[in-house]
Amino acid sequence: MPTTQQAVLDRVEPVADGVVALTLSGALAPWEPGAHIDLPLPNWLTRQYSLCGDPADRGRYRLAVRHERLSRGGSDYIHRYLRPGRTLDISLPRNNFPLLPAREYVFLAGGIGITAVLPMLRAAVAAGVPARLVYTGRSRAAMPFLDEVRAVGGDAATVVETRREPRPDLAALAAALGPGGAVYCCGPAAMLAAAEAVFDPVALHTERFRPARREFAPDAPFTAVCARSGQSFEVPAGESLLDALTRTGHPVPSGCREGVCGSCEVRVLEGEPEHRDDVGAGPGVLYPCVSRARSPRLVLDV
């Protein structure tokens, strides 16, 4: 089964200070709000970006990329060198942040986090489900898609310029959320922490730009078994399972290598994983870029 698809870069256009939107076209796979793709760049880097266009437009994807001052090379390359006309091999859409049915929605977006949230707002409004958006950013000039936010959300969309206005009262939003309501939050770590402090964890769904800072037990060595080849090997402390798989001739596609994108998912057939990802690995899977083993041995579907 293919895992990639070809797309042509049609447009690269500024949509806010330091933010460009990329429009890709082709015979593209369908997607739903919350999905993202891996974008392999000609400088050998791969980065993950939320799809922020209209899922009904089957021939186009839209992404938005902020030029990060401390870029690891992805956003800097896109802003400086990526130009229309190039054909790119992109991944199929992957959705670790799906919009689930709810009686009402509160959407929280911080800065470039609007890219994941805007299609959700559009879908909720189209379905007639009560929805409210709070969109924060340091300045309006640096906040992409403001016109779309206002057009889609109307009076239910609140824009907060944090350098001039107080930050939104999330506790009040939490108190007003009715039974069966859901909260979707995408933004910087401080916004996610504030949301986690006041909203019911059952109602709250989050997506992170960077891994959460958590403490884990020191790495312990373990044995990995590749079920398809029958090969087993040791994964020492200090080496990721992903790197060990590559070293032993079992490479697994990967993207962020930080446990946030979900591109390196591997099925676990036996053993107990130690999940260190921020995707929320389901039963029987792990993300070998960061996760390890609690048991002495893991049998993998590789």
Side-chain angles (χ1 to χ4, degrees), residues 100-299:
L100 303 176
R103 293 183 179 179
E104 62 176 302
Y105 294 104
V106 171
F107 298 114
L108 306 174
I112 200 67
I114 192 63
T115 55
V117 169
L118 182 55
M120 294 183 174
L121 176 66
R122 186 181 291 113
V125 170
V129 180
R132 180 171 181 180
L133 168 68
V134 177
Y135 179 19
T136 66
R138 179 168 171 74
S139 70
R140 281 174 168 77
M143 299 169 71
F145 308 128
L146 278 178
D147 288 345
E148 277 188 59
V149 165
R150 296 187 183 103
V152 174
D155 293 340
T158 301
V159 175
V160 179
E161 191 177 24
T162 57
R163 71 177 182 179
R164 300 178 184 274
E165 304 170 79
R167 294 186 180 275
D169 186 347
L170 299 188
L173 289 173
L177 185 68
V183 183
Y184 283 79
C185 180
C186 184
M191 168 178 272
L192 270 63
E196 289 167 346
V198 298
F199 286 103
D200 182 341
V202 174
L204 180 62
H205 308 266
T206 61
E207 184 168 67
R208 296 181 179 275
F209 301 148
R210 294 286 182 268
R213 295 182 179 178
R214 297 192 299 271
E215 295 295 328
F216 296 100
D219 287 358
F222 63 96
T223 300
V225 180
C226 295
R228 299 182 198 176
S229 67
Q231 182 180 357
S232 64
F233 53 89
E234 295 301 305
V235 183
E239 181 180 30
S240 72
L241 175 56
L242 182 68
D243 287 342
L245 286 164
T246 301
R247 168 173 59 80
T248 58
H250 304 84
V252 173
S254 64
C256 70
R257 302 181 71 91
E258 294 182 316
V260 295
C261 78
S263 63
C264 62
E265 181 179 291
V266 170
R267 289 183 61 225
V268 178
L269 303 178
E270 294 179 28
E272 182 183 2
E274 180 187 42
H275 297 296
R276 298 182 176 185
D277 64 273
D278 285 287
V279 180
V285 302
L286 91 166
Y287 299 102
C289 63
V290 293
S291 296
R292 299 185 66 82
R294 294 188 185 276
S295 54
R297 182 172 176 267
L298 287 181
V299 180

Side-chain angles (χ1 to χ4, degrees), residues 55-141:
D57 187 350
R58 293 291 301 275
R60 289 183 180 85
Y61 289 167
R62 184 178 67 178
L63 321 172
V65 183
R66 183 177 296 284
H67 195 179
E68 300 289 349
R69 289 177 297 174
L70 300 178
S71 170
R72 296 170 294 167
S75 74
D76 191 62
Y77 184 92
I78 289 170
H79 278 255
R80 291 177 181 270
Y81 304 115
L82 203 58
R83 296 292 181 266
R86 184 180 289 273
T87 298
L88 299 168
D89 288 311
I90 62 176
S91 75
L92 298 177
R94 220 171 27 255
N95 201 340
N96 304 319
F97 192 44
L99 183 65
L100 303 176
R103 293 183 179 179
E104 62 176 302
Y105 294 104
V106 171
F107 298 114
L108 306 174
I112 200 67
I114 192 63
T115 55
V117 169
L118 182 55
M120 294 183 174
L121 176 66
R122 186 181 291 113
V125 170
V129 180
R132 180 171 181 180
L133 168 68
V134 177
Y135 179 19
T136 66
R138 179 168 171 74
S139 70
R140 281 174 168 77

